[in-house]
């Protein structure tokens, strides 16, 4: 059994959970600790005790730790990427890419630890100086989803450490492998006892207890909308800082003047890479009349040629769905779309490969309306739908007509439309001639409306969540 990390010690639990490869359900990767409330309590206490000394550690100490972690991740990116592809089902190149990104994130936040933050200004009163500084918030609970098993933990853990916080990390039940490997790297890199704790197990046990614990000063969460809503309500009651990243129903607008190859490449990448299991996935393809038929035909041809198989097999372009429950959910949405009148242009069915896995064909609906369930709710699978529109104005209206606001894209060669879209898309991130998914690691990430809540993640903006501002007045006499 792979154990928890609590107060600098590896600690096993009575119960364990199996980590199953979604490309081959006969392949059990390992068994991982299934924590109790006592484990959470011990981890929070360890983090709480360590908070004052880590909060006062020097920028150099934090830089050295984060830099070492980043170096180790990058040195082991192939092995970590392989584990990621094996436990989550994204393709090997995507897995290695994600591990590389995690390494870069630690390197970026190593630098952040050294960057000065603070201001000194004159008071409005004579003889007084004012200092505005940032302090760590204390112990943070980090709760992550299964779709980015190493990058999302990295983009929460690295800033938490860089800005002087201690951590209790609770990874998603489906992907404890990468979380454990990351914890091992952090431990081996010499993190002081109690500064970083790993507690694996159920959201309803571990996650819930972290949210409710009075010694946890903040929660950074990425996951489903309902869980996010429950967490924000609970955090408000405890006056806890909270940061949520949840779903998306991201539009990709394709205008008549778009370059067809660019548009198809953006749509295939945005909707189907990582098996469509990205909160930034391009799930609504909003296509204007003049290019509609050519676009659909080109998409169908591309999807027919897309190689779907075991995530780690060379040349595979799309791996399986993450597990049986997610597959059932995807199929449910597909059936509902058909019932509501959407026309299946490609896919819609599961299929078998050499190994028993959760393989679903990339699925494209056409003749859909923005009111259909398939265009209102997040599927989180390899399913996209085309919405035909008259012109740019209608496209923009439909793009914004959603409860979500994470990422919004447009494919066009018109500077006028690109510029207008950039300014009027109601989303936290806008992409021009790019898929809605695929972001840099050194700039802010986050959305508007139901997609996000609280301060932005990543880049220097991450400090908004992981620090609290202190204002000091000094009377010099
Ligand atoms: P998904 O449906 O994608 O698994 P969830 O929101 O259920 O999304 O899970 C995201 C993360 O939140 C996981 O680590 C999960 O264990 C955790 N989680 C689930 N329920 C709760 C809860 N009630 N309180 C805190 N964390 C939870």
């Amino acid at each position: 059994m792979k154990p928890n990390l609590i107060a600098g010690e590896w600690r096993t639990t009575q119960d364990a959970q199996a980590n199953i490869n979604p490309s081959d359900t006969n392949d059990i990767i390992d068994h991982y600790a299934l924590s109790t409330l006592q484990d959470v309590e011990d981890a929070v206490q360890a983090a709480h005790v360590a908070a004052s000394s880590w909060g006062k550690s020097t920028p150099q100490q934090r830089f050295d730790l984060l830099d070492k972690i980043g170096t180790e991740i990058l040195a082991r990116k192939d092995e970590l990427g392989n584990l990621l592809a094996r436990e989550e089902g994204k393709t090997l190149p995507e897995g290695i890419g994600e591990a590389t990104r995690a390494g870069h994130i630690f390197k970026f936040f190593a630098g952040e630890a050294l960057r000065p933050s603070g201001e000194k200004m004159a008071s409005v009163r004579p003889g007084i100086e004012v200092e505005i500084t940032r302090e760590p918030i204390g112990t943070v609970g980090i709760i992550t989803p299964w779709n980015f098993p190493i990058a999302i933990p990295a983009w929460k853990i690295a800033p938490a450490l860089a800005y002087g916080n201690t951590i209790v990390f609770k990874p998603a039940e489906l992907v404890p492998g990468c979380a454990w490997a990351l914890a091992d790297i952090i431990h081996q890199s010499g993190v002081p006892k109690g500064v970083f704790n790993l507690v694996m197990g159920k959201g309803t046990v571990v996650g819930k207890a972290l949210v409710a614990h009075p010694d946890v000063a903040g929660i950074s969460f990425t996951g489903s909308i309902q869980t996010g809503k429950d967490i924000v309500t609970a955090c408000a009651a405890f006056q806890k800082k909270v940061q949520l990243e949840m779903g998306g129903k991201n539009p990709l607008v394709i205008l008549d003047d778009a370059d067809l190859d660019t548009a198809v490449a953006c749509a295939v990448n945005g909707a189907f890479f990582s098996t469509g299991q990205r909160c930034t996935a391009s799930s609504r393809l909003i296509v204007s009349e003049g290019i509609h038929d050519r676009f659909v035909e080109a998409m169908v041809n591309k999807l027919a040629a897309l190689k779907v198989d075991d995530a780690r097999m060379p040349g595979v372009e799309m791996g399986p769905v993450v597990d049986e429950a997610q597959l059932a959910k995807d199929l449910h949405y597909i059936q509902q779309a058909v019932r509501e009148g959407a026309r299946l242009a490609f896919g819609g069915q599961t299929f078998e490969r050499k190994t028993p896995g959760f393989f679903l064909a990339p699925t494209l609906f056409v003749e859909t309306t923005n009111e259909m369930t398939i265009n209102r709710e997040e599927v989180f699978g390899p399913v996209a739908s085309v919405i035909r529109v008259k012109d740019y104005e209608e496209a923009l209206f439909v793009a914004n007509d959603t409860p979500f606001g994470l990422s919004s894209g447009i494919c066009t060669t018109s500077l006028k439309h690109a510029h207008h879209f950039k300014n009027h898309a109601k989303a936290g991130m806008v992409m021009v001639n790019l898929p809605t998914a695929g972001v840099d690691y050194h700039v802010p990430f986050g959305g508007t409306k139901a997609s996000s809540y609280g301060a932005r993640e990543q880049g220097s903006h991450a400090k908004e969540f992981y620090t609290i501002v202190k204002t000091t007045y000094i009377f010099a006499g």
Side-chain angles (χ1 to χ4, degrees):
M1 178 206 291
K2 289 279 194 293
N4 284 327
L5 181 67
I6 298 176
E9 309 281 338
W10 292 113
R11 197 195 281 187
T12 54
T13 51
Q14 196 167 1
D15 297 325
Q17 54 173 338
N19 187 3
I20 297 163
N21 177 352
S23 298
D24 177 2
T25 54
N26 291 326
D27 176 28
I28 307 237
I29 297 158
D30 210 332
H31 289 82
Y32 293 80
L34 203 52
S35 309
T36 61
L37 289 176
Q38 188 59 50
D39 297 316
V40 182
E41 182 59 34
D42 294 349
V44 173
Q45 280 322 311
H48 189 56
V49 168
S52 57
S53 60
W54 184 248
K56 298 277 181 270
S57 58
T58 62
Q60 188 66 49
Q61 274 175 292
R62 297 181 204 168
F63 172 89
D64 288 345
L65 175 67
L66 290 162
D67 189 55
K68 199 168 173 190
I69 297 167
T71 301
E72 182 66 11
I73 293 172
L74 291 174
R76 288 171 53 187
K77 64 180 169 39
D78 292 350
E79 169 211 332
L80 292 165
N82 194 298
L83 174 62
L84 202 165
R86 189 174 166 205
E87 74 172 345
E88 198 268 350
K90 64 181 68 170
T91 64
L92 195 53
E94 287 175 327
I96 294 169
E98 189 182 326
T100 306
R101 179 192 175 94
H104 288 152
I105 289 168
F106 275 93
K107 293 278 185 182
F108 174 84
F109 282 105
E112 271 300 281
L114 294 176
R115 251 157 245 148
S117 73
E119 298 162 63
K120 189 166 188 174
M121 36 207 312
S123 166
V124 293
R125 291 170 283 165
I128 295 177
E129 284 179 348
V130 185
E131 279 174 12
I132 302 157
T133 49
R134 287 183 179 272
E135 296 190 337
I137 62 173
T139 294
V140 292
I142 289 177
I143 303 175
T144 57
W146 49 260
N147 64 329
F148 284 89
I150 195 159
I152 294 181
W155 83 51
K156 294 179 190 294
I157 292 167
L161 292 173
Y163 300 123
N165 301 279
T166 61
I167 297 165
V168 180
F169 168 39
K170 188 252 163 298
E173 293 88 322
L174 286 175
V175 290
C178 285
W180 193 90
L182 179 60
D184 188 37
I185 289 173
I186 295 172
H187 181 57
Q188 302 286 343
S189 300
V191 68
K193 186 176 142 183
V195 169
F196 171 83
N197 303 274
L198 169 74
V199 186
M200 295 175 283
K202 290 199 181 338
T204 46
V205 177
V206 181
K208 219 169 161 182
L210 279 178
V211 170
H213 201 294
D215 290 333
V216 174
I219 295 285
S220 181
F221 166 86
T222 301
S224 66
I225 296 147
Q226 192 50 51
T227 309
K229 279 187 179 163
D230 293 346
I231 289 178
V232 76
T233 310
C235 284
F238 294 108
Q239 289 185 289
K240 234 171 245 213
K241 263 193 121 169
V242 62
Q243 170 181 65
L244 309 175
E245 291 299 341
M246 298 167 288
K249 198 70 213 174
N250 309 291
L252 179 65
V253 169
I254 291 146
L255 296 183
D256 289 354
D257 61 24
D259 176 72
L260 185 63
D261 290 345
T262 303
V264 170
C266 288
V268 170
N269 175 320
F272 301 106
F273 283 15
S274 295
T275 321
Q277 299 174 144
R278 297 188 282 192
C279 49
T280 49
S282 315
S283 53
R284 291 185 301 141
L285 307 172
I286 301 167
V287 187
S288 60
E289 263 168 1
I291 197 171
H292 178 278
D293 294 355
R294 280 182 294 139
F295 173 76
V296 170
E297 190 190 342
M299 282 295 287
V300 168
N301 290 339
K302 274 273 180 216
L303 296 184
L306 205 73
K307 195 167 173 213
V308 186
D309 209 320
D310 185 320
R312 292 185 297 161
M313 196 180 269
V316 164
E317 293 164 290
M318 192 178 99
V321 169
V322 74
D323 75 344
E324 199 169 0
Q326 185 61 51
L327 181 60
K329 193 173 157 202
D330 295 352
L331 290 170
H332 170 80
Y333 274 116
I334 289 169
Q335 284 150 12
Q336 186 161 1
V338 171
R339 275 201 307 278
E340 290 181 20
R343 189 166 70 74
L344 204 48
F346 193 84
Q349 80 287 5
T350 58
F351 53 83
E352 293 191 354
R353 286 290 180 252
K354 226 159 69 202
T355 49
F358 307 112
F359 299 107
L360 175 62
T363 298
L364 185 71
F365 283 108
V366 292
E367 310 304 340
T368 73
T369 68
N370 202 39
E371 287 70 43
M372 290 176 179
T373 311
I374 196 76
N375 287 323
R376 304 310 296 177
E377 296 179 15
E378 187 179 46
V379 178
F380 223 64
V383 184
S385 41
V386 174
I387 305 170
R388 188 200 296 257
V389 290
K390 205 163 70 263
D391 52 19
Y392 169 72
E393 283 69 30
E394 189 185 355
L396 177 66
F397 176 82
V398 172
N400 286 337
D401 179 15
T402 170
F404 299 102
L406 190 54
S407 182
S408 195
I410 188 166
C411 291
T412 179
T413 51
S414 151
L415 184 60
K416 181 178 143 207
H417 287 143
H419 192 70
H420 189 273
F421 188 79
K422 183 167 70 90
N423 290 333
H424 292 86
K426 291 190 169 53
M429 297 178 289
V430 178
M431 309 288 182
V432 178
N433 292 319
L434 287 166
T436 53
V439 294
D440 285 2
Y441 64 86
H442 67 308
V443 292
F445 177 97
T448 61
K449 300 195 270 182
S451 292
S452 303
Y453 185 86
R456 286 281 182 267
E457 299 199 83
Q458 301 197 62
S460 297
H461 285 69
K463 70 163 79 74
E464 295 301 330
F465 176 73
Y466 291 103
T467 63
I468 190 147
V469 170
K470 178 182 268 182
T471 311
T472 307
Y473 295 84
I474 307 153
F475 179 53

